[in-house]
């Protein structure tokens, strides 16, 4: 197992390293920088701008700047923000927690709905319930994430049932612990609903396809012939047999929900990485942008790594293949 995990971990580290190079290259080579607007201010001398560029190492060659930034990553700083005059890592960590809270909640809820719905649809393949679920997921699939988020916001404004932005109420600090949890859940309802509705069609369709394929397998027909109850067949035979493609989909769904959450956070004013990265892009605060891309990549890699571990634990073929190498 250790050999398998080390191989997967090395692949993940190489991916993160490659993304860091590309993110640094594309971001720093983009036209303009944070100090361009200062040139238009006649009160700021050119010598001051030159000193600021030297202070933030913008006058150094690109390979040296990348090496300096990589050294700051190894020391837990991830560069220095121009706008906040502070190391990037603490700024990103404070907002990454909020993004993770939203993404993990939406991922667990989406899978909790998709698994029983997909299995139920696969058991009734071709019949009216299956066609109804397929039609509903098809409708959700063609609705853009932005339109979905805006529609939920309009619903919140019209009904007043949910907050239209933010993560907490004004009097959050004075609330009791139980009321704080309720207030947080109330503010999370709309963005989580938008994320779940955007991910659900893809998950339900893949679960349905994977389970439908297993339901007609010879070993399942033999198990049915022995009089094993249907619920036991589904829990002990069908789902483990269909787990391979579904666990691979799990890592992909984490990345999909993460990228979608950045948009949802901007639309619904959730204080996560999305609005922070948008603000940094508009201000050309390049090290925050690079750090945000790196954080998103790490989240995606961790999701895939967890899926690999679960796949190794469930699928004996992977264990056999890993042991033979």
């Amino acid at each position: 197992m250790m050999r398998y995990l080390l191989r997967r971990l090395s692949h993940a580290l190489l991916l993160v390293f490659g993304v860091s190079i590309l993110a640094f290259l594309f971001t720093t080579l983009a036209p303009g920088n944070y100090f361009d607007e200062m040139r238009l201010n006649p009160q700021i001398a050119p010598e001051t701008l030159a000193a600021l560029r030297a202070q933030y190492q913008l006058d150094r060659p690109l390979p040296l700047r990348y090496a300096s930034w990589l050294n700051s990553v190894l020391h837990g700083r991830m560069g220095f923000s121009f706008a906040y005059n502070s190391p990037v890592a603490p700024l990103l960590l404070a907002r990454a927690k909020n993004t993770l809270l939203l993404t993990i909640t939406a991922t667990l809820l989406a899978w909790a709905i998709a698994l029983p719905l997909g299995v139920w649809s696969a058991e009734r393949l071709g019949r009216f319930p299956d066609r109804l679920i397929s039609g509903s997921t098809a409708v959700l699939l063609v609705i853009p994430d932005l339109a979905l988020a805006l529609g939920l916001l309009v619903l919140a404004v019209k009904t007043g049932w949910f907050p239209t932005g933010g993560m907490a109420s004004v009097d959050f600090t004075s609330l009791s612990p139980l009321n704080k949890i309720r207030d947080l859940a109330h503010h999370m309802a709309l963005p989580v609903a938008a994320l779940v509705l955007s991910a659900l069609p893809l998950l339900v369709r893949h679960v349905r396809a994977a389970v439908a394929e297993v339901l007609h397998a010879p070993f399942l027909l033999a198990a049915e012939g022995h009089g094993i109850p249907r619920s036991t067949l589904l829990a002990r035979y069908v789902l483990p047999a269909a787990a391979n493609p579904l666990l691979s989909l799990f890592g992909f769904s984490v990345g999909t929900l993460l990228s979608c959450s950045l948009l949802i956070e901007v639309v619904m004013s959730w204080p996560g990485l999305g609005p922070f990265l948008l603000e940094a892009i508009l201000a050309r605060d390049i090290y925050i942008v690079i750090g945000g891309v790196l954080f998103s990549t790490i989240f995606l890699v961790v999701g895939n790594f967890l899926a690999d571990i679960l796949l190794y634990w469930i699928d004996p073929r992977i264990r056999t293949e890993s042991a033979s190498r």
Side-chain angles (χ1 to χ4, degrees), residues 76-96:
R77 295 190 300 271
M78 301 184 73
F80 213 76
S81 168
F82 305 147
Y84 292 88
N85 195 31
S86 167
V88 168
L91 298 173
L92 287 173
L93 279 172
R95 290 157 179 83

Side-chain angles (χ1 to χ4, degrees), residues 134-148:
S134 298
S136 302
T137 55
V139 170
L140 283 175
L141 203 58
V142 299
I143 300 177
D145 297 335
L146 180 60
L148 198 60

